[in-house]
Amino acid sequence: MITFDVHCNPPTATAQQKGAFRCGNGIRFFTKPHVRQAQNDLAEYLRPFSPEERLGGALLLRLKFKFPMRKSETKARRALGHLPHDKRPDLDNVAKLTIDVMAKLNWFKDDAQIARMELEKEWSIVPGILGEINEL
């Protein structure tokens, strides 16, 4: 089992934000600079937690994205410490970016190994990314 708690602002860029341009008779796709920057930042945050050997078999992945609390929140709501996050970016898209980075860091051979996933996003006083990955 690997657990991590990274204190950072979770990425708002997602893996789905691709750019495209016409080239001859076809279309070429590319990764936009802000998405590439988000990937690089995530890689730096997650690299210290990378396993020495790739995880094998079916995997359980839990991720919680804690976005910085909005300034517009009342003191009473801030006192709760965290609130459900109901705005963009979409949870599944942020998770996909994170999973892609984990795959590049050799946490596992292929993201198809993830058999079960639990995802959350919330507004929080202390922003960050909490995660846990287990072999099933």
Side-chain angles (χ1 to χ4, degrees), residues 5-10 64-69 82 85 120-130:
D5 183 0
V6 179
H7 297 285
C8 66
N9 285 341
K64 180 186 272 189
F65 298 95
K66 301 184 326 179
F67 290 88
M69 189 74 72
H82 59 89
H85 188 293
E120 294 180 58
K121 69 176 182 173
E122 64 183 29
W123 301 110
S124 179
I125 299 296
V126 180
I129 304 171
L130 297 174

Side-chain angles (χ1 to χ4, degrees), residues 2-134:
I2 301 170
T3 60
F4 56 90
D5 183 0
V6 179
H7 297 285
C8 66
N9 285 341
T12 55
T14 65
Q16 282 64 32
Q17 295 174 331
K18 299 276 186 207
F21 65 93
R22 283 193 163 257
C23 181
N25 292 334
I27 296 176
R28 296 254 173 126
F29 294 95
F30 64 94
T31 304
K32 291 184 177 181
H34 71 282
V35 175
R36 189 177 318 277
Q37 183 63 48
Q39 290 171 332
N40 293 339
D41 291 345
L42 267 175
E44 288 303 311
Y45 299 146
L46 297 177
R47 187 169 282 118
F49 303 99
S50 295
E52 292 180 15
E53 294 182 19
R54 288 181 179 171
L55 299 172
L59 301 173
L60 162 66
L61 176 64
R62 291 185 177 108
L63 292 172
K64 180 186 272 189
F65 298 95
K66 301 184 326 179
F67 290 88
M69 189 74 72
R70 298 176 286 192
K71 292 184 183 356
S72 63
E73 294 296 343
T74 64
K75 287 183 182 179
R77 289 178 56 92
R78 283 178 171 270
L80 297 173
H82 59 89
L83 300 166
H85 188 293
D86 58 349
K87 303 292 181 197
R88 290 190 182 273
D90 295 350
L91 180 58
D92 56 331
N93 295 338
V94 176
K96 179 63 178 161
L97 180 73
T98 306
I99 291 167
D100 289 345
V101 169
M102 292 168 84
K104 285 181 185 173
L105 293 175
N106 290 321
W107 285 48
F108 37 80
K109 184 177 179 181
D110 186 16
D111 59 358
Q113 289 176 253
I114 299 172
R116 187 176 306 149
M117 192 164 32
E118 297 174 15
L119 303 173
E120 294 180 58
K121 69 176 182 173
E122 64 183 29
W123 301 110
S124 179
I125 299 296
V126 180
I129 304 171
L130 297 174
E132 177 183 315
I133 188 165
N134 296 315

